[in-house]
């Protein structure tokens, strides 16, 4: 059974955050490969949910093979500007009643049109048919996540974006992941979230002392259902520091098996690192979660006791500076 299938056995049909990857494939004439879905009969791009310990590109290759029988040698993740998926518009209710907010990434590659002659989807029933479509002649699509993915290609081709379908308001913020952990026990769970690089006028990095471990972390935290990565970054920055950013630019995705950590069970981080600009407000710390704050120069950071691989990799990115390009 899949990751989400395991959770559904305990959680039922209620809202979950689904971490997944979509695959955009074009042939030599610019047509896009779509699959007719077994659950709804509508069309969409290949793709699906990640399994614990899996990175996005590995999942993209696996899902492509399962749903089409094809492999793509130049398949790669899109940059964060085109590739990142999150927000209330990506709510989806499947025909069986299961509700999700989809977050994740998009991958892109090319195949010759003739590759479809060798397509061989697995026997799961997810794929009823496969076909190439012109970007201005698309069939009925399955969901907003497919519309938004195809809009990436339509914008590139100077075509107007497809309008998104209506979607409900995101639910009020609550302790969703805490409740999910209590329901499913110590098994690995995905923890999507965001962190923020904040610097002062002396080019020093702001780190916070984690109240429970005493180690240093970036401002940041986990997504709520229906929240975008950027909205999460803004909320966590305000809650943990009292600061607000005029602009947040995504600079790095921190995800993969090396970012698993243990805290009342296993968590696989799916984090987006943002650079803050135009920061305003007075640095004010919450009373319990954060016990101290400090501005660190690049040289001083060698002495900082950083919390986990996630924070270490984020700090390495900041120190490298050249990596801070979307």
């Amino acid at each position: 059974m899949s990751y989400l299938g395991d959770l559904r056995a305990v959680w039922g049909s209620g809202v979950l955050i689904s971490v997944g990857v979509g695959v955009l494939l074009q042939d030599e004439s610019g047509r896009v490969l779509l699959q007719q879905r077994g659950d709804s009969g509508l069309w969409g791009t290949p793709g699906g949910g990640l399994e614990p310990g899996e990175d996005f590109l590995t999942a993209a290759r696996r899902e492509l093979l399962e749903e089409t029988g094809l492999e793509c040698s130049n398949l790669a993740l899109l940059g964060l500007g085109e590739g990142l998926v999150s927000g209330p518009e990506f709510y989806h209710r499947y025909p069986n009643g299961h509700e999700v907010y989809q977050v994740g990434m998009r991958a892109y590659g090319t195949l010759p049109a003739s590759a479809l002659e060798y397509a061989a989807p697995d026997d799961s029933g997810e794929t009823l048919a496969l076909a190439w479509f012109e970007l201005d002649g698309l069939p009925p699509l399955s969901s907003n996540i497919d519309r938004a993915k195809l809009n990436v290609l339509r914008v590139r081709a100077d075509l107007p974006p497809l309008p998104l379908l209506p979607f409900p308001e995101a639910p009020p913020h609550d302790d969703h992941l805490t409740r999910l952990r209590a329901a499913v026990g110590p098994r690995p769970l995905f923890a999507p979230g965001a962190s923020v690089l904040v610097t002062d006028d002396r080019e020093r990095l702001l780190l916070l002392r984690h109240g429970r471990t005493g180690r240093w972390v970036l401002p940041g935290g986990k997504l709520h259902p229906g929240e975008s990565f950027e909205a999460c970054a803004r909320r966590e920055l305000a809650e943990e520091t009292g600061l607000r950013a005029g602009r947040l630019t995504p600079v790095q995705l921190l995800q993969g098996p090396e970012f698993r950590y243990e805290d009342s069970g296993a968590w696989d981080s799916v984090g987006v690192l943002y650079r803050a600009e135009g920061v305003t407000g007075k640095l004010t710390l919450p009373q319990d979660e954060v016990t101290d704050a400090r501005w660190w120069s690049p040289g001083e950071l060698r002495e900082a006791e950083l919390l986990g691989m996630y924070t270490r990799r984020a700090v390495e990115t900041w120190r490298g500076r050249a990596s801070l390009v979307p």
Side-chain angles (χ1 to χ4, degrees):
M1 190 177 291
S2 69
Y3 168 77
L4 278 180
D6 285 341
L7 297 189
R8 289 296 181 196
V10 178
W11 192 253
S13 61
V15 166
L16 287 170
I17 298 176
S18 175
V19 179
V21 62
V23 178
L24 289 164
L25 289 177
Q26 287 185 287
D27 69 5
E28 59 269 30
S29 64
R31 296 182 301 175
V32 63
L33 181 64
L34 298 182
Q35 67 169 146
Q36 188 178 27
R37 294 183 55 89
D39 59 358
S40 66
L42 300 175
W43 292 80
T45 60
L50 271 66
E51 295 300 321
E54 194 173 42
D55 62 63
F56 280 110
L57 187 55
T58 300
R61 291 170 176 151
R62 174 181 54 77
E63 288 288 342
L64 179 62
L65 185 62
E66 291 174 358
E67 295 181 353
T68 72
L70 300 174
E71 297 183 22
C72 177
S73 62
N74 64 1
L75 190 66
L77 296 182
L78 292 172
L80 295 180
E82 290 185 321
L84 204 57
V85 175
S86 64
E89 64 268 37
F90 296 117
Y91 168 87
H92 186 63
R93 187 177 188 273
Y94 291 95
N96 63 5
H98 293 173
E99 297 179 277
V100 297
Y101 281 99
Q102 295 169 321
V103 304
M105 286 291 290
R106 303 175 180 123
Y108 176 82
T110 58
L111 284 175
S114 60
L116 205 53
E117 299 173 13
Y118 307 98
D122 66 18
D123 60 0
S124 67
E126 286 189 74
T127 304
L128 298 181
L130 294 164
W132 296 105
F133 288 91
E134 301 286 351
L135 289 171
D136 58 358
L138 297 169
L141 298 172
S142 172
S143 67
N144 276 346
I145 197 160
D146 290 303
R147 288 170 174 262
K149 272 186 283 187
L150 290 165
N151 281 341
V152 171
L153 301 183
R154 286 175 65 90
V155 168
R156 289 183 179 184
D158 293 324
L159 293 171
L162 301 169
L164 297 184
L165 301 170
F167 53 89
E169 289 187 14
H173 292 175
D174 67 2
D175 56 350
H176 172 78
L177 287 177
T178 301
R179 292 188 296 111
L180 184 60
R181 171 60 73 199
V184 304
R187 72 184 67 183
L189 291 174
F190 286 108
S195 300
V196 186
L197 299 168
V198 183
T199 54
D200 65 5
D201 55 6
R202 295 169 56 186
E203 290 300 309
R204 297 179 301 174
L205 180 67
L206 177 64
L207 293 180
L208 309 176
R209 191 184 290 276
H210 190 262
R212 186 155 47 83
T213 67
R215 297 193 174 189
W216 296 94
V217 298
L218 292 165
K222 298 183 179 72
L223 256 68
H224 294 293
E227 188 175 38
S228 70
F229 284 108
E230 180 175 336
C232 174
R234 291 187 180 279
R235 174 180 55 79
E236 291 287 346
L237 180 64
E239 290 176 357
E240 295 184 346
T241 70
L243 303 176
R244 285 169 173 76
R247 180 181 178 187
L248 287 173
T249 302
V251 295
Q252 191 176 29
L253 173 69
L254 298 170
Q255 186 274 329
E258 67 269 36
F259 295 108
R260 174 171 291 182
Y261 66 96
E262 299 286 336
D263 185 4
S264 302
W267 298 91
D268 283 5
S269 291
V270 182
V272 180
L273 183 63
Y274 286 86
R275 180 179 66 240
E277 298 174 285
V279 177
T280 59
K282 180 181 179 182
L283 183 58
T284 306
L285 304 183
Q287 294 183 352
D288 49 359
E289 187 177 353
V290 177
T291 61
D292 195 9
R294 176 178 166 184
W295 301 94
W296 299 75
S297 70
E300 292 172 329
L301 279 168
R302 297 186 182 91
E303 302 174 6
E305 290 188 69
L306 303 176
L307 179 59
M309 175 62 75
Y310 184 100
T311 305
R312 292 195 294 273
R313 188 69 59 81
V315 168
E316 288 171 7
T317 296
W318 176 78
R319 290 180 63 191
R321 305 299 176 92
S323 300
L324 298 186
V325 179

